[in-house]
């Protein structure tokens, strides 16, 4: 089940803000000793997604210092890892003999069973806040050797390229869409999150042999979907190009899509058509020629685009645009767009 908790200290009396944040993080994440120069008026927010044993939190707070002591660990130790995607400001941590500082776009892994001391510092251009996405998950759920994972504790890892970019994009979208998830999504999202974390950490450990095959496949499939989304506008995007970009054979690529209820080419075509449909319904693009919108999303042949669009939505692109404009409510709100995709 997906349990979403929104917490804003600004909803509370000023005198209660810092104490409430301290209590919330101790309850939802883990107990830490926290101090801050902003305790008198502590303005912070959290959006926490409970995905069973996995918790994903979007956090924003002023500069502060945290300390997890041996005493706190004895009192409460969930035997978990915390992985932080840093989005704003800087995070410095002392743990396992390492002293590491990460900046925006970087990732760090913490072990809740080891003492640490950390500092989060806001930059002048971040409006006084530090921000990031935190994933907390039991160590037992990570299918990698513990002694190898220890090598990555308090190590700065890149989050803007390769597997790091895939992980960063997934986590930011995950917390942004929190309000749309159903109870049935919880277990699936937990599995996707753990698979991607495993693939990311294994990449930096070069421990691919330790990762279960199904985890490899799911993580690779997520990476492929992200690649397709990023290259929809390339008219040369094809199954062959996707396979080559991921250093796998075309046959292996098709095998990955066997359980996807679509082919690779079908996935590319469906995503392109959906992008075109959105553009046709966008009043800000009403003066753009249809062939230009189609070309923007990889359809070089206008006639082919028109046939493909009609086959899915039951209307030609021009008719769809005209009907959508006609169905707009006079007050400026919109009714449901026409053209439901055909099964």
């Amino acid at each position: 089940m997906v349990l979403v908790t929104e917490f804003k200290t600004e909803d509370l009396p000023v005198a209660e803000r810092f104490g409430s944040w301290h209590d919330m993080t101790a309850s939802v994440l883990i107990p830490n000793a926290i101090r801050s120069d902003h305790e008198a008026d502590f303005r912070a927010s959290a959006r926490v997604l409970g995905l069973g044993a996995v918790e994903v939190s979007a956090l924003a707070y002023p500069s502060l210092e945290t300390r997890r002591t041996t005493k706190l660990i004895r009192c409460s130790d969930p035997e978990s890892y915390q992985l932080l995607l840093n989005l704003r400001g800087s995070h410095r941590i002392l743990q396992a003999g390492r002293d590491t500082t990460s900046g925006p776009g970087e990732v760090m892994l913490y072990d809740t069973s080891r003492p640490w001391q950390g500092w989060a510092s806001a930059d002048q251009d971040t409006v006084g806040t530090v921000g990031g996405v935190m994933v907390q998950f039991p160590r037992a759920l990570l299918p990698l050797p513990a002694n190898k994972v220890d090598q990555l504790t308090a190590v700065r890892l890149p989050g803007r390229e390769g597997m790091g970019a895939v992980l960063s994009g997934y986590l930011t979208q995950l917390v942004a869409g929190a309000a749309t998830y159903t109870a049935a999504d919880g277990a699936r999202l937990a599995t996707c999150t753990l698979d991607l974390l495993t693939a990311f950490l294994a990449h930096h450990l070069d421990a691919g042999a330790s990762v279960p095959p199904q985890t490899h496949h799911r993580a690779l499939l997520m990476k492929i979907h992200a690649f397709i989304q990023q290259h929809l506008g390339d008219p040369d995007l094809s199954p062959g190009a996707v396979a080559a970009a991921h250093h796998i054979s075309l046959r292996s690529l098709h095998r990955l899509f066997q359980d996807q209820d679509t082919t690779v080419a079908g996935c590319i075509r469906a995503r392109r058509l959906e992008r075109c449909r959105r553009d046709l319904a966008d009043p800000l693009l009403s003066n753009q020629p249809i062939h230009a919108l189609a070309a923007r999303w990889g359809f070089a042949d206008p006639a082919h685009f028109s046939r493909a669009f009609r086959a899915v939505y039951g209307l030609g692109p021009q008719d769809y645009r005209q009907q959508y404009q006609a169905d707009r409510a006079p007050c400026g709100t919109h009714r449901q767009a026409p053209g439901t995709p055909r099964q």
Side-chain angles (χ1 to χ4, degrees):
M1 179 178 181
V2 181
L3 178 63
V4 181
T5 302
E6 298 276 359
F7 182 84
K8 294 183 178 180
T9 61
E10 291 185 55
D11 295 336
L12 302 170
V14 173
E16 298 177 12
R17 290 176 178 176
F18 180 74
S20 296
W21 179 262
H22 183 281
D23 294 344
M24 185 279 295
T25 55
S27 173
V28 174
L29 298 173
I30 53 172
N32 280 303
I34 305 177
R35 65 163 302 277
S36 172
D37 292 337
H38 304 273
E39 293 179 20
D41 185 5
F42 195 81
R43 303 189 180 193
S45 65
R47 172 182 289 178
V48 183
L49 280 68
L51 309 175
V54 179
E55 289 193 335
V56 184
S57 308
L59 305 169
Y61 43 87
S63 299
L64 53 76
E65 178 184 347
T66 64
R67 188 184 294 268
R68 182 153 170 81
T69 64
T70 302
K71 181 178 179 180
L72 286 172
I73 293 171
R74 285 199 302 264
C75 292
S76 175
D77 182 14
E79 298 184 354
S80 297
Y81 289 118
Q82 288 185 338
L83 181 136
L84 176 68
L85 166 62
N86 192 355
L87 298 177
R88 294 191 305 277
S90 63
H91 289 83
R92 177 189 175 197
I93 187 168
L94 300 176
Q95 187 177 53
R98 302 185 182 102
D99 183 348
T100 307
T101 301
S102 70
E106 295 180 320
V107 176
M108 278 207 294
L109 184 72
Y110 315 145
D111 186 341
T112 67
S113 298
R114 292 186 176 186
W116 76 53
Q117 185 173 9
W119 296 265
S121 302
D123 298 327
Q124 290 184 350
D125 59 354
T126 58
V127 199
T129 61
V130 183
V133 180
M134 174 78 75
V135 186
Q136 182 167 308
F137 57 100
R139 292 200 302 269
L141 295 184
L142 191 67
L144 294 171
N147 62 330
K148 286 186 171 290
V149 178
D150 286 346
Q151 300 172 21
L152 297 180
T153 301
V155 172
R156 186 171 58 246
L157 301 172
R160 288 179 171 167
E161 58 190 38
M163 286 300 299
V166 176
L167 177 64
S168 300
Y170 169 79
L171 291 178
T172 52
Q173 291 179 31
L174 178 64
V175 294
T180 67
Y181 306 136
T182 66
D185 293 328
R188 302 186 191 106
L189 290 172
T191 298
C192 289
T193 303
L194 285 169
D195 284 342
L196 199 49
L197 288 172
T198 300
F200 172 75
L201 296 173
H203 169 77
H204 289 287
L205 290 170
D206 195 22
S210 303
V211 181
Q214 63 271 26
T215 297
H216 263 307
H217 294 163
R218 287 193 291 257
L220 178 57
L221 193 57
M222 292 175 70
K223 188 176 181 181
I224 287 170
H225 279 300
F227 177 85
I228 290 173
Q229 194 69 33
Q230 293 166 4
H231 293 83
L232 286 177
D234 183 354
D236 294 325
L237 181 65
S238 65
V242 173
H246 294 84
H247 310 291
I248 59 175
S249 68
L250 193 58
R251 182 177 180 181
S252 296
L253 177 64
H254 288 310
R255 191 180 300 120
L256 281 171
F257 273 73
Q258 284 179 350
D259 297 327
Q260 294 292 294
D261 297 325
T262 186
T263 62
V264 186
C267 174
I268 294 171
R269 182 173 58 252
R271 293 190 180 195
R272 282 175 166 167
L273 287 170
E274 172 58 20
R275 290 290 187 173
C276 291
R277 185 196 68 77
R278 293 182 185 181
D279 284 358
L280 289 169
D282 188 342
L284 296 178
L285 300 175
S286 60
N287 293 326
Q288 291 287 317
I290 289 176
H291 68 83
L293 297 181
R296 178 186 177 190
W297 297 113
F299 287 104
D301 183 345
H304 169 69
F305 165 66
S306 184
R307 289 192 300 270
F309 191 93
R310 183 183 296 274
V312 173
Y313 295 105
L315 294 170
Q318 184 63 42
D319 293 337
Y320 180 91
R321 173 182 265 178
Q322 290 175 349
Q323 183 172 329
Y324 183 85
Q325 295 296 328
D327 284 350
R328 294 179 64 194
C331 64
T333 57
H334 299 266
R335 301 176 189 173
Q336 183 174 357
T340 301
R342 294 177 175 177
Q343 299 298 321

